[in-house]
Amino acid sequence: MPYLVISPLSQLAATAEKYQVRDMITLINPDTPVIRPSTISEIQHLCLYFNDINEEREEFTSPAQKHVTCPLTVC
């Protein structure tokens, strides 16, 4: 049965190994580097880059329809 595992960035590799993660979705601000665990292929990693804001602010990227419409960005 499929399930969802949520992990802090600092525990990403250990969490992926512990739960045998095969697919990954990363929700993160555009300036934070993400190192994909070696157990997850590039094609199985979806990255959505935006800031956690609810109003437009200069120098920030607010969530938008373009973040969930193909083509998708791969980390």
Side-chain angles (χ1 to χ4, degrees):
M1 174 178 220
Y3 56 92
L4 178 66
V5 178
I6 299 173
S7 170
L9 202 52
S10 63
Q11 297 295 311
L12 192 55
T15 301
E17 183 178 332
K18 179 179 180 177
Y19 293 98
Q20 300 179 351
V21 174
R22 296 183 313 226
D23 303 293
M24 188 164 105
I25 300 172
T26 300
L27 305 170
I28 201 153
N29 72 58
D31 300 324
T32 303
V34 176
I35 299 173
R36 182 178 5 90
S38 61
T39 57
I40 300 171
S41 71
E42 185 176 328
I43 194 77
Q44 297 304 116
H45 186 191
L46 168 64
C47 290
L48 302 175
Y49 294 103
F50 51 82
N51 296 98
D52 186 16
I53 58 175
N54 59 5
E55 293 179 356
E56 293 289 330
R57 292 175 50 191
E58 193 171 322
E59 300 182 26
F60 289 90
T61 304
S62 58
Q65 182 67 36
K66 68 182 180 182
H67 295 111
V68 293
T69 304
C70 288
L72 301 172
T73 304
V74 176
C75 293

